[in-house]
Amino acid sequence: MKSDTVWMCVCIFLLLLDEETSSWNGSSALTMSFGNGVPASPNIRSAREAEPEWMDCIQASDKCNQDSNCSPQYRVMRQCLVGKEKEAMLDNNKECQAALEVLMLSPLYRCRCRRGMKKEVLCLQNYWTIHMGLNEGRDMENSSPYEPVAPNRHPDVFRLAAISSGMLTVAPKGFQCPDAERNCNPCIDAAKACNLNGVCKKQRTNYIATCDKRDSAKGDTCNKKRCHKVLRTFLDRVPTEFSHGLLFCPCQTEACAERRRQTIVPDCSYKDKEKPNCLELQRICHQDTLCRSRWVDYIDNCWMPPHTLSTCPNQDNHQACLASYARLIGTEITPNYVDSSVSNWTISPWCTCKGSGNQEAECLNFQRYFTNNTCLRNAIQAFGYEMYSTQDKTVTVPSTPATAKLEPSFTNAKYTPLPDGALDLGEDHSPCLCASVWVLLPSLALALILAQHAL
């Protein structure tokens, strides 16, 4: 047992060291060797750098319209996507297929959209003009129309320890107040922090006033579409340090959990008179450009198949998962906590799989993207500890891997390598490698200490 634990710690250190060296030598040789059984090719990095950069889909559309070959095919493709017969047109119409083949060679094929941009919907419409044809009738996973999220450069030692020891199925440790004598309510603390920020206070006041408004003449509790719109505005304009604090505040009392559940005013933004079938909800979302885009972005950043090495995409980037989840709020697939449970909370859209018939398995799979999503659960759990770890430096480090601190905030901008000659270190990177080793020694020491406590 002892030797296995020590070996696990050595593996953790080697993985961290390999990530540091990969930043100087291109692709990770260790990772490639484990993954494919062959050494990494020295031409991989140059091949990737040779690929054209992605372009804003609005700019790509303008560029296509100025091209005598691209422009007419773009107009044809738009016509192919109009009307109820679009699926048949995309599958069987030769003119639509020929237009798609031309457009796949244009800048529109690689274009993407920036999250929260002014003309986001227009940009997304341009993206789906091509990609609806490519994905129609197939799963749209890994088809996010948004710019790529930078991977997490430094997965923390706790999560690596969990992976190496096969502890991914261990339930996360429950949140505990930093001050044992204080009956803390992190959700109230998050609301106070929001009120101290001008933008957050204004936008929160707007969506509460809109979503809590009752129209007795129509017999409705509120205008759901208007409520969704102001919620999207809130999440687009308010810094995540405030909005995520309201959405993901950790709780150890039912009163706190209920306050967290009420954050998005569930009677208006979440619930309805009757629960629709989840597949019907997914179909409605698929027909809406914004909802469809944010849904596939959520899958892209917040879902990993079971029994995989990592729990989240982009090197366990929890921040990317939380951001993609939050951007689903205000769409047809608005998720929320289903009850006020403290330790066994569940998140799901407002839908059911009852009466799904022979599509029940497909419907349950849709629900599992929320109810059985290890990445989402770990991301929310990690956010809870991070929320208070910066306030109380005397708190001891939790021993449970899933309670690791949150990674540094991700950036949406695609990583751009330094130009040639900007930092000329020659072929010998040994000084940088040595520096990286010294930086990683504390991580190895911490892993060894945790191993001793585990024994």
Side-chain angles (χ1 to χ4, degrees):
M1 173 69 180
K2 194 170 189 178
S3 60
D4 292 341
T5 305
V6 173
W7 172 243
M8 177 194 75
C9 297
V10 173
C11 290
I12 294 169
F13 178 72
L14 289 175
L15 286 170
L16 289 170
L17 176 60
D18 178 61
E19 184 167 351
E20 289 296 327
T21 56
S22 67
S23 63
W24 300 106
N25 297 307
S27 301
S28 168
L30 181 63
T31 304
M32 293 297 292
S33 297
F34 278 128
N36 301 325
V38 294
S41 169
N43 296 325
I44 290 178
R45 183 177 180 180
S46 59
R48 288 177 178 173
E49 292 177 355
E51 293 180 356
E53 297 287 338
W54 65 272
M55 180 183 291
D56 182 302
C57 288
I58 295 179
Q59 297 176 355
S61 176
D62 292 340
K63 192 172 182 179
C64 177
N65 287 330
Q66 296 171 5
D67 187 301
S68 58
N69 186 37
C70 182
S71 180
Q73 302 303 326
Y74 191 37
R75 290 195 296 270
V76 169
M77 198 63 199
R78 284 180 177 274
Q79 291 297 319
C80 296
L81 295 173
V82 175
K84 297 180 180 180
E85 302 298 325
K86 61 182 180 182
E87 294 184 15
M89 292 284 287
L90 292 172
D91 290 339
N92 304 319
N93 189 286
K94 293 183 179 180
E95 191 175 3
C96 294
Q97 294 175 357
L100 183 59
E101 291 178 1
V102 173
L103 294 176
M104 286 178 65
L105 301 176
S106 73
L108 282 164
Y109 178 65
R110 292 185 180 275
C111 75
R112 293 292 185 272
C113 300
R114 295 187 299 276
R115 295 168 180 82
M117 61 187 297
K118 288 184 178 180
K119 297 181 179 180
E120 182 179 353
V121 174
L122 176 60
C123 183
L124 294 172
Q125 289 172 343
N126 292 340
Y127 172 89
W128 289 113
T129 299
I130 291 182
H131 289 269
M132 278 293 287
L134 295 174
N135 292 286
E136 194 67 43
R138 297 180 290 275
D139 292 335
M140 290 190 296
E141 297 179 16
N142 302 319
S143 335
S144 175
Y146 294 102
E147 58 185 323
V149 174
N152 174 31
R153 290 287 297 124
H154 300 288
D156 56 74
V157 68
F158 297 102
R159 193 174 307 107
L160 285 172
I163 293 170
S164 301
S165 59
M167 295 168 59
L168 292 177
T169 57
V170 175
K173 184 178 179 181
F175 171 77
Q176 298 295 327
C177 285
D179 186 351
E181 298 180 356
R182 174 178 171 235
N183 186 18
C184 65
N185 189 325
C187 293
I188 291 181
D189 294 340
K192 290 179 180 178
C194 178
N195 287 335
L196 292 175
N197 178 269
V199 176
C200 186
K201 181 179 180 180
K202 178 182 177 181
Q203 296 298 330
R204 182 167 177 256
T205 301
N206 287 343
Y207 87 71
I208 290 178
T210 302
C211 297
D212 204 32
K213 186 180 296 184
R214 299 178 181 273
D215 189 349
S216 56
K218 296 183 178 179
D220 297 330
T221 56
C222 75
N223 187 318
K224 191 172 185 178
K225 289 186 176 180
R226 189 176 299 171
C227 175
H228 279 174
K229 183 177 180 179
V230 293
L231 273 172
R232 293 197 303 268
T233 302
F234 171 81
L235 293 167
D236 285 343
R237 296 183 181 179
V238 174
T240 57
E241 60 184 292
F242 301 108
S243 61
H244 286 191
L246 292 168
L247 293 171
F248 309 120
C249 44
C251 291
Q252 59 180 3
T253 65
E254 287 190 5
C256 174
E258 178 61 19
R259 185 183 183 93
R260 180 178 61 187
R261 191 182 73 86
Q262 295 287 342
T263 296
I264 64 169
V265 195
D267 285 342
C268 179
S269 65
Y270 178 63
K271 293 184 178 180
D272 216 329
K273 294 179 180 179
E274 295 182 0
K275 276 190 176 183
N277 185 275
C278 292
L279 293 180
E280 175 64 14
L281 196 68
Q282 186 181 32
R283 184 190 66 81
I284 295 173
C285 178
H286 184 272
Q287 293 177 344
D288 181 80
T289 300
L290 190 65
C291 185
R292 177 174 63 245
S293 302
R294 295 188 175 189
W295 165 246
V296 295
D297 190 60
Y298 169 76
I299 300 300
D300 206 34
N301 290 305
C302 218
W303 177 258
M304 291 289 284
H307 311 299
T308 51
L309 186 63
S310 299
T311 60
C312 287
N314 301 313
Q315 299 179 15
D316 278 339
N317 195 325
H318 285 165
Q319 291 262 15
C321 175
L322 294 182
S324 295
Y325 167 88
R327 284 171 59 79
L328 277 178
I329 295 174
T331 67
E332 290 297 331
I333 306 181
T334 294
N336 195 17
Y337 302 89
V338 299
D339 52 36
S340 302
S341 175
V342 175
S343 58
N344 192 29
W345 46 266
T346 301
I347 286 178
S348 174
W350 180 257
C351 64
T352 180
C353 284
K354 292 181 180 179
S356 297
N358 59 2
Q359 293 183 304
E360 184 176 7
E362 183 182 352
C363 183
L364 292 174
N365 284 336
F366 171 82
Q367 281 189 329
R368 290 190 188 102
Y369 282 121
F370 297 94
T371 59
N372 193 27
N373 191 325
T374 304
C375 173
L376 178 62
R377 179 167 289 272
N378 285 355
I380 294 175
Q381 190 75 25
F383 181 85
Y385 280 95
E386 176 68 9
M387 184 176 178
Y388 273 88
S389 64
T390 56
Q391 298 178 16
D392 190 346
K393 300 298 182 181
T394 63
V395 180
T396 56
V397 177
S399 59
T400 305
T403 61
K405 69 177 182 179
L406 198 61
E407 304 85 9
S409 298
F410 73 94
T411 56
N412 288 334
K414 184 175 180 179
Y415 171 73
T416 304
L418 289 173
D420 294 338
L423 184 62
D424 187 9
L425 298 176
E427 294 298 325
D428 184 10
H429 302 313
S430 55
C432 300
L433 177 59
C434 292
S436 297
V437 172
W438 282 107
V439 170
L440 293 171
L441 281 178
S443 298
L444 177 61
L446 180 58
L448 290 173
I449 292 172
L450 291 174
Q452 290 178 354
H453 283 290
L455 294 174

